[in-house]
Amino acid sequence: MRVLNRDFHISVDGQGFTVPKGFRTDFSSYPWFCRVMVRFDRVDVAGVVHDRLYYEGKTTRAYADRIWRMTALNGAHSANFVQAWLSWLGLRIGGWIAWRAHAKRRGNVY
């Protein structure tokens, strides 16, 4: 885990997102079989925003995952189309574990 040392602001699909200073993130964590195809530095920014959306729980999981994919596809060091979509697929398959853990922490037990 890493801690942000300053506020992080990004705009995705016309919507602004802010991740506050002090937020703890693991950047992008995705299944090992995706890691051989996608370098972490191509999707780290996407992971920070995604972690915050999961943590807050103010959106649907599908929306948070969509924002991850859109962020991964954009920017100076973005993932290519195949890398972003394969990683997103891994996120959709395994992301429910983190989503559920955050829901329990917030008191939204499934």
Side-chain angles (χ1 to χ4, degrees):
M1 289 296 239
R2 303 272 201 268
V3 178
L4 296 183
N5 60 11
R6 63 183 171 93
D7 288 351
F8 177 75
H9 307 279
I10 191 169
S11 180
V12 182
D13 199 27
Q15 183 170 351
F17 296 95
T18 298
V19 182
K21 175 183 177 180
F23 183 73
R24 298 178 65 85
T25 179
D26 62 0
F27 295 104
S28 284
S29 56
Y30 45 90
W32 64 269
F33 58 86
C34 291
R35 292 181 193 155
V36 298
M37 297 174 280
V38 183
R39 291 179 18 201
F40 280 104
D41 64 338
R42 300 288 183 194
V43 294
D44 279 350
V45 169
V48 172
V49 175
H50 187 259
D51 284 355
R52 183 64 181 183
L53 292 174
Y54 267 39
Y55 180 83
E56 289 178 332
K58 294 179 181 177
T59 69
T60 65
R61 181 177 160 236
Y63 180 76
D65 293 352
R66 178 176 172 268
I67 293 299
W68 183 95
R69 187 183 70 242
M70 293 176 71
T71 305
L73 283 168
N74 292 289
H77 301 286
S78 61
N80 67 40
F81 182 82
V82 173
Q83 292 171 332
W85 277 91
L86 286 174
S87 297
W88 174 83
L89 180 61
L91 184 65
R92 289 302 297 161
I93 291 169
W96 66 271
I97 297 167
W99 180 261
R100 214 176 138 120
H102 284 299
K104 285 183 181 179
R105 176 191 49 77
R106 290 188 306 270
N108 304 42
V109 180
Y110 287 89

